[in-house]
Amino acid sequence: MRSARFALAALVATAVALPLAVSPATAAPRPDHRPAPHVNVKLPPHAQAKFNRLRWAAPEGFYVGTAVAGGGHHLEQDYPDPFTHDKVYRKILGKQFSSVSPENQMKWDFIHPERDRYRFEETDAIIDFAERHRQVVRGHTLLWHSQNPAWLEEGDFTAEELREILREHITTVVGRYAGRIQQWDVANEIFDEEGELRTRDNIWIRELGPGIVADAFRWAHEADPAAKLFFNDYNVEGVNAKSDAYYALVQELLAEGVPVHGFAVQGHLSTRYGFPGDLERNLLRFDELGLETAVTELDVRMDLPASGRPTKAQLMQQADYYDRALSACLAVEGCNSFTIWGFTDKYSWVPTFFEGEGSATVMTEKFVPKPAFFALRSTLNQARRG
């Protein structure tokens, strides 16, 4: 089910060689063609052909997703909420993807800003949109050390109170969307790079002990027995100390009957570093435990030249990374969910957090598809045809 490696170079070369035809300022952006980076081309008659879209190119039962921009760092930018106000963004979101993940709108500081108040409006809108467009939803996230509200991190709570706060939060949020969320990132980034539990910066593990992780899975399962419940982390793409720690923990929890259903690798990659060539092997070992696996937050950032525009060579390398990540997932039977962390550089989180790096998504700020987009689409088409 992997893409033909010899075809990728030709695909990228074609994508970066097409001439300028139409400015995005004078024509509605279309994501379904193969333009040169940062330009649009005249749209052919078959532009909206079904299999020109990522979601329809994919094999049956394989979900291609994206993060839905909003909340978090977006609140500090000089643009209104992307999902609410950008019609072009929303149109592409509905056409290209069969799965969506709220980028920040379900994280604690956004959805639970005060102890006795929840903010559901933005998540409600995303899930309503997904159902109208026949998309599934990944919930993100329930137990994490980051993006917690000040009332929680700075509060003076007993262990019993903290435990009840977490139980109530999981029961309320998961219960509200029961039957409408396909997968949940229940426990997010609970290990450090050495494979040790985050006992210092994760308030739940620090104050309540490691057993709280199992409780979180149990509570989520009680609130929605149909949802698939995942561990999710970065830098676990390959076999290393961090992914080994998850591998050991999952086996312990499964032996105890804890409802753990999946293991997800985020995939925040950089062309500064080599591609994790053992990604497929790593996913396979979790698959052999009976878990579903997923790629949940893929982007490929790069060091930008002084012009701020990537070179052809950089675009080719980026396309190769995207393609190899998708191919690894497709090669593992239980890996049926593949999500990129945003599809346009216009709203990417990368420049905000990685100085000097950017151009990490599959479309430019003007929604022009990059070679990476076409590499994904080609690989999905090949997988669908068998």
Side-chain angles (χ1 to χ4, degrees):
M1 298 177 72
R2 299 185 185 185
S3 63
R5 307 307 307 165
F6 70 86
L8 179 60
L11 180 71
V12 175
T14 302
V16 299
L18 294 175
L20 175 66
V22 180
S23 166
T26 59
R30 298 285 187 91
D32 299 311
H33 319 290
R34 188 174 300 177
H38 303 287
V39 299
N40 278 342
V41 297
K42 188 174 181 180
L43 306 179
H46 61 281
Q48 295 302 316
K50 185 176 182 179
F51 297 115
N52 282 343
R53 303 176 190 176
L54 297 178
R55 65 182 297 175
W56 295 115
E60 184 177 357
F62 189 85
Y63 296 94
V64 183
T66 183
V68 179
H73 76 278
H74 297 286
L75 301 176
E76 302 170 357
Q77 307 305 309
D78 60 354
Y79 49 70
D81 175 60
F83 176 75
T84 305
H85 297 278
D86 192 328
K87 294 181 180 179
V88 174
Y89 174 87
R90 213 163 46 244
K91 182 177 181 180
I92 296 172
L93 177 69
K95 285 188 174 182
Q96 289 292 341
F97 301 98
S98 54
S99 175
V100 294
S101 302
E103 183 178 7
N104 295 289
Q105 298 92 332
M106 300 188 85
K107 292 174 181 173
W108 269 76
D109 61 353
F110 193 93
I111 204 169
H112 199 167
E114 300 173 18
R115 183 174 181 180
D116 298 321
R117 182 172 72 88
Y118 287 87
R119 178 176 175 175
F120 289 121
E121 294 83 1
E122 288 80 1
T123 300
D124 287 351
I126 291 171
I127 294 180
D128 288 345
F129 176 93
E131 291 177 345
R132 290 196 305 273
H133 291 83
R134 299 183 179 181
Q135 297 166 316
V136 298
V137 181
R138 295 196 80 258
H140 179 77
T141 178
L142 299 174
L143 185 154
W144 192 24
H145 68 278
S146 183
Q147 290 185 240
N148 288 324
W151 70 262
L152 174 64
E153 291 285 353
E154 300 170 9
D156 183 19
F157 302 112
T158 66
E160 288 185 3
E161 288 173 326
L162 270 180
R163 180 179 171 82
E164 177 56 23
I165 287 170
L166 180 60
R167 188 203 64 79
E168 187 269 340
H169 176 94
I170 291 175
T171 300
T172 299
V173 176
V174 177
R176 180 181 181 87
Y177 302 113
R180 305 177 76 189
I181 301 282
Q182 182 198 45
Q183 299 178 350
W184 270 104
D185 291 329
V186 175
N188 196 51
E189 302 172 6
I190 64 170
F191 288 105
D192 63 21
E193 300 308 301
E194 286 71 43
E196 300 294 332
L197 281 170
R198 293 181 181 270
T199 55
R200 295 182 61 184
D201 53 356
N202 187 308
I203 186 174
W204 310 113
I205 297 173
R206 182 182 70 239
E207 303 298 330
L208 303 176
I212 195 62
V213 175
D215 288 334
F217 277 90
R218 294 188 183 102
W219 292 330
H221 185 63
E222 291 170 2
D224 186 359
K228 298 295 185 179
L229 309 181
F230 277 70
F231 282 106
N232 185 57
D233 212 326
Y234 65 94
N235 287 351
V236 293
E237 292 75 27
V239 178
N240 53 35
K242 200 174 187 181
S243 61
D244 283 346
Y246 279 105
Y247 187 67
L249 177 59
V250 165
Q251 292 178 81
E252 293 175 11
L253 295 179
L254 291 177
E256 295 170 6
V258 178
V260 177
H261 306 128
F263 174 74
V265 302
Q266 294 180 9
H268 294 297
L269 306 180
S270 171
T271 57
R272 288 183 179 182
Y273 315 108
F275 182 85
D278 53 351
L279 172 58
E280 180 183 331
R281 180 163 64 93
N282 191 39
L283 292 174
L284 183 61
R285 65 175 177 161
F286 285 93
D287 181 84
E288 291 172 344
L289 294 178
L291 298 189
E292 294 186 12
T293 56
V295 176
T296 54
E297 303 183 22
L298 182 65
D299 47 31
V300 183
R301 63 188 186 273
M302 62 184 73
D303 293 289
L304 294 174
S307 66
R309 301 172 66 172
T311 66
K312 292 181 180 180
Q314 286 180 308
L315 291 170
M316 178 175 285
Q317 184 180 11
Q318 180 185 60
D320 178 68
Y321 278 33
Y322 270 100
D323 181 67
R324 292 172 70 181
L326 175 59
S327 295
C329 181
L330 287 166
V332 176
E333 183 177 359
C335 190
N336 54 28
S337 182
F338 180 87
T339 298
I340 57 178
W341 207 238
F343 60 86
T344 171
D345 292 340
K346 184 175 183 179
Y347 302 125
S348 173
W349 74 294
V350 168
T352 304
F353 293 90
F354 296 91
E355 185 176 356
E357 294 183 86
S359 194
T361 74
V362 300
M363 293 185 186
T364 70
E365 293 185 356
K366 296 182 178 180
F367 302 104
V368 178
K370 301 177 190 175
F373 173 90
F374 299 107
L376 293 180
R377 193 181 67 185
S378 175
T379 296
L380 290 168
N381 269 313
Q382 290 182 48
R384 176 177 50 83
R385 293 193 296 264

